[in-house]
Amino acid sequence: MNITFASISHQGKRSSNQDRLANALGARAACFVMCDGIAGEQGGDTAARLACDTIVTHFDGAHHLDAQRIRGYIAAANQAIKQQQHQDQALKNMGTTLVSLFIDRDYQLAYWAHAGDSRLYHFRRGYLLEMTRDHSLAQRMQDAGHQTDAINHNLLYFALGMKEDREASYSDVLALEDGDVFLLCTDGFWHEMDVNNLEQTLRMVSNPQEWLALLQRMMPEDNGDNFSAMAVWMGDPQESTLLSSLSDTQRILLSQR
């Protein structure tokens, strides 16, 4: 299956950019990773770099998708951060969010993992099909039916490097369709977008570079946070999304050409 992708990463008004992005495309499998170092704790950039580097270094794109092996990649990233915490007291509280996507190119399957509040959105025929659920207090409150306007959306109960004894969240293995689109992004990005923005702009563009450029123009100029996004398109999303938005009459006319 053909894969096209694009990414952006910006410092915003912060003094540094603690977001890290990485990818690895092999003959049989592909891997896309995004990490956002936790602000307020020294070493967030180090934790994000360690997580990205560990996963991409361990990833073997010459083999087919293996969910258990992928869990091992994420565990190795978490362990690399904790090992550095023990070696350097100044970094003992460092941590990072993670969102990662793995694609089996031959069998056309996808699998993803996340920790914290960096997100993955999955679109099919131009519309949101599913998305990850943040490991945050705000998400828990929302799930319980409570208002979250007064809640700090950056309060996380899990991320890589944290002391909590738990694992990242993993998806089921998903059968892909031609035209499927994935968006990986940090909280600095998705805080400024809603699903309608993402769907409408996706149906207006013909490639991932155009989509991210359009979304970036929608970001406020005074954004105070780092923001990063990576768009991964499977097959030919433009054809799929355009066909899904045509009326029944248009479809008939098109099929008769």
Side-chain angles (χ1 to χ4, degrees):
M1 176 171 271
N2 184 48
I3 301 174
T4 54
F5 67 97
S7 63
I8 58 171
S9 186
H10 290 273
Q11 185 171 318
K13 295 296 184 181
R14 291 280 180 87
S15 59
S16 64
N17 188 352
Q18 297 199 29
D19 294 351
R20 293 292 181 270
L21 293 71
N23 64 81
L25 272 70
R28 289 190 167 87
C31 165
F32 302 89
V33 186
M34 181 175 293
C35 294
D36 178 4
I38 296 175
E41 298 291 352
Q42 186 173 346
D45 55 341
T46 301
R49 177 181 52 78
L50 278 172
C52 269
D53 290 351
T54 300
I55 292 171
V56 171
T57 299
H58 282 72
F59 178 73
D60 184 357
H63 290 85
H64 291 296
L65 185 73
D66 185 319
Q68 283 304 114
R69 185 180 294 144
I70 291 168
R71 286 175 177 259
Y73 300 156
I74 308 303
N78 198 32
Q79 185 57 38
I81 294 170
K82 291 189 173 183
Q83 183 176 349
Q84 190 67 33
Q85 289 173 337
H86 290 307
Q87 293 176 353
D88 189 342
Q89 277 295 106
L91 303 178
K92 65 180 181 180
N93 293 319
M94 72 177 179
T96 182
T97 70
L98 161 81
V99 60
S100 55
L101 170 67
F102 301 87
I103 303 291
D104 189 304
R105 306 183 72 172
D106 290 339
Y107 296 140
Q108 300 186 14
L109 301 171
Y111 185 76
W112 55 87
H114 83 284
D117 61 354
S118 288
R119 288 184 177 178
L120 178 143
Y121 296 83
H122 174 208
F123 301 87
R124 179 163 287 172
R125 303 184 191 98
Y127 294 91
L128 180 69
L129 186 66
E130 55 188 320
M131 60 182 284
T132 53
R133 305 186 73 79
D134 306 331
H135 298 131
S136 67
L137 176 60
Q139 184 71 68
R140 279 188 167 177
M141 295 288 286
Q142 182 179 326
D143 291 345
H146 300 295
Q147 293 291 328
T148 60
D149 294 343
I151 301 295
N152 182 347
H153 285 252
N154 296 118
L155 293 177
L156 305 180
Y157 62 83
F158 178 67
L160 298 188
M162 283 189 170
K163 304 300 186 290
E164 285 76 2
D165 186 19
R166 61 171 294 152
E167 288 190 348
S169 293
Y170 297 90
S171 73
D172 294 328
V173 176
L174 172 81
L176 293 167
E177 289 187 10
D178 184 59
D180 278 2
V181 168
F182 295 92
L183 177 69
L184 290 71
C185 56
T186 59
D187 66 319
F189 187 87
W190 64 255
H191 272 309
E192 305 298 335
M193 299 288 168
D194 60 31
V195 171
N196 285 335
N197 293 146
L198 299 175
E199 291 178 335
Q200 290 173 7
T201 53
L202 178 58
R203 297 194 294 269
M204 294 168 58
V205 297
S206 59
N207 58 62
Q209 292 85 358
E210 286 183 2
W211 190 32
L212 290 186
L214 182 56
L215 291 172
Q216 185 175 336
R217 288 198 293 271
M218 297 171 64
M219 296 289 288
E221 293 184 3
D222 60 348
N223 194 319
D225 196 5
N226 304 153
F227 64 92
S228 300
M230 186 183 300
V232 182
W233 290 32
M234 312 305 303
D236 190 351
Q238 184 197 21
E239 181 177 341
S240 298
T241 55
L242 287 177
L243 284 173
S244 69
S245 64
L246 293 172
S247 68
D248 289 342
T249 301
Q250 289 173 308
R251 292 180 189 176
I252 293 171
L253 291 173
L254 184 62
S255 66
Q256 293 174 343
R257 287 184 179 179

